[in-house]
Amino acid sequence: MAKRRKKGPSYTPKAEDRHWHGKRQAARAAKNAARTGTRTIGPRSARPAEPVGTGRPAGARRAGGAEAPELVIGRNPVVEALRAGVPGTALYVMSDTDERIREAVTLAGDRNVPLLQAGKGELDRMTDGAVHQGIALQVRPYRYAHPDDLLERGTPPLIVACDGITDPRNLGAVVRSAAAFGAHGVVVPERRAAGVTAGTWKASAGTLATVPVAQTTNLARQLKSYQQAGCFVAGLDARGDLTVADLELATGPFVLVVGSEGKGLGRLVAETCDLLAGIPMPGHAESLNAGVATGIALYEIARRRMG
């Protein structure tokens, strides 16, 4: 058994045990925040654990609180994000010796994304010690629209509401379908639901630049507000008595509510809808991905609205 080392003349305390350690860590964090716009909150051991199941895609990390910029890290995720038109505010690289990093630098230059040199220590602090492969793309926080503003974007308005969709990539697919078939916006709950991340931008294929996403504190209450504004609200659900091809009132102000692939619509949301409509599936699949189901339903709605 190794002997326990006693304190004495030759004892050297650890850095974190010294009286100046906390002040130095705070000064480093403040300096990094002032230079990069990315907030850090001290050593990794002092940071709160990140909750499991946040829906954040692989290769993307949040660099601080809810209002802090998001970081896409790793060679392939950064290149894919830049190709998809994810709105980057800065590209941090250690060196451009790798072919994928050189491609990312070229794409960033084409999109006027500032290129910044960063050392390994700095990238380690920015990414909380994650495997960044010497590159990180900073993405600005998404500015959500107000749910009521979506009513003014088209005549008659067509809005897609998402209930219980927790995967940002599914949300991106819903936004892409909304853009393809003329919807004027997408509404998501603030809590227990996916928000707009770099993964959402990639899955939307850049259509988030034209289709706004709004957040609401209570989806059922917001649907009632849309009904009071003259909108007909239909939920996409296999329990529906009608099919999406039978939505005759879709030619007027209309809200399509889409649930998650596993649980579908929540009870309160389903009860708030004016009716439920399903998608006939003669095959063997029990359900469809939210983005696919939204695309099919919006196609039928767009076909009616075009006459």
Side-chain angles (χ1 to χ4, degrees), residues 164-222:
I165 296 179
T166 57
D167 189 338
R169 293 166 295 185
N170 277 346
L171 176 59
V174 169
V175 173
R176 188 173 184 178
S177 295
F181 296 107
H184 300 113
V186 177
V187 180
V188 298
E190 287 185 5
R191 302 179 63 185
R192 296 186 293 275
V196 177
T197 67
T200 314
W201 272 97
K202 287 193 292 183
S204 76
T207 55
L208 269 166
T210 58
V211 177
V213 175
Q215 280 188 329
T216 179
T217 55
N218 187 304
L219 184 58
R221 188 184 305 151
Q222 184 59 47

Side-chain angles (χ1 to χ4, degrees), residues 50-102:
E50 192 169 278
V52 177
T54 57
R56 191 168 302 148
R61 296 183 62 84
R62 182 69 66 183
E67 296 301 323
E70 184 180 0
L71 291 177
V72 181
I73 60 176
R75 300 185 188 104
N76 289 335
V78 168
V79 170
E80 292 172 3
L82 289 169
R83 284 178 176 174
V86 174
T89 56
L91 178 65
Y92 296 88
V93 296
M94 287 175 53
S95 65
D96 59 355
T97 55
D98 182 85
E99 181 179 354
R100 297 291 279 174
I101 292 182
R102 287 196 296 270

Side-chain angles (χ1 to χ4, degrees), residues 232-243:
F232 189 84
V233 178
L236 198 57
D237 196 287
R239 298 168 294 179
D241 296 328
L242 299 177
T243 69

Side-chain angles (χ1 to χ4, degrees), residues 16 21-29 40-49 124-125 128-129:
E16 54 265 32
H21 180 73
K23 294 181 179 179
R24 177 171 292 184
Q25 290 295 97
R28 285 178 177 174
T40 57
I41 54 175
R44 186 174 183 180
S45 59
R47 303 186 182 199
D124 287 343
R125 288 193 298 272
D128 196 18

Side-chain angles (χ1 to χ4, degrees), residues 4-14 18:
R4 184 176 181 181
R5 188 174 182 179
K6 298 182 179 180
K7 294 184 179 180
S10 61
Y11 172 71
T12 303
K14 296 180 180 180
R18 295 177 182 266

